[in-house]
Amino acid sequence: MVQQLERSQQTLKITPFAKKLGSPLGKQTISTLQINLGKRCNLACSHCHVEASPKRTEELSSEICQQLIAIIQKFPQIKVVDLTGGAPEMLYGFKPLVEASRKMGKEVIVRSNLTIYFEMGFGDIPTYCAQHQLRVVASLPCYLEDNVDKMRGNGVYEKSIKALQWLNSLGYGKDANLVLDLVYNPPLPTSDKFSLPPAQEPLEQNYKKFLKEHFDIEFNHLLTITNLPIGRSKFHLDKHQLHQKYLTFLESNFNPDTVNNLMCRNELSIDYLGNVYDCDFNQMENIPAENQSSHKLTVADLLRADNLDLIQQVKTADYCYGCTAGSGSSCGGALI
């Protein structure tokens, strides 16, 4: 019995991601600034790696907001400012960062849960997004109501559909300057019958056909994102004793062709305290980015150095297999 247990544990042993690569994962020139404005949200989704909810209070301060605006103004190499949360639209700094970024000609992404539009005080957000030509990346983990409400809460699907129709009425999904993308996440597994997200393009066509036929909704792209074992997803996997098995599954589907396109290579992820990370996932796991002297970096450090490219190597962990399994996964969807 003991030998069987030992064999079982050996078969589930994960190869360290850095060892799998065979060489350090090098950072490239920074072109994307992803800013997590905080953990406050009007929803508490079951798969949320940020563990955001209405009960959370963490959000950006005025001081860090001003530092970020200085970064945006100072570095032309930043092409994209990606705002996330929580619900970024309800957090301090959202509009100042949008306006500073757009003034400097940056593309601005807002990662929206859509339902925020129906909360008191936020009904202006769709029109605001259209006026500033923000790219809206909206969570809709399935085109069927039951699956969405199971993951995100009762009534979320109905509100999401109304929000998408609202955005369409403003030109989103139709006007070339008003890009509306949807995000698919697989359901969280309850057994070891794991699966990766389906192929992105055929699934996008299924989404477009269903949403057009049933709700007259149009959108630009579907982004498929693998659930990484972080935050509430990790808690769910642990509860079902699936965490290690899921990591093994991800490793078994490792695709080296995804590595060149990993989002962590050319982005900086900033938290609401101004700390710097290689990606949003490292941010949630509290694995800060460091310079060559092993100094943990902050936005203030970047400003003092007058340099965004202080990081030589991306810090990796076992959950990096989630971004490199199959067709790959990133905040921009499949990698290949």
Side-chain angles (χ1 to χ4, degrees), residues 15 21 48 54 96 132 143 187 200 211 236 283 296 315 323 329:
T15 306
L21 293 181
C48 180
H132 292 278
Y143 52 76
Q200 188 166 275
L211 293 176
H236 171 91
Q283 182 182 146
K296 296 175 183 177
K315 287 194 171 182
C323 293
S329 176

Side-chain angles (χ1 to χ4, degrees), residues 28-29 84 141 222 234 302-303:
Q28 297 172 343
T29 301
T84 184
L222 181 72
K234 182 180 179 181
L302 302 177
L303 286 169

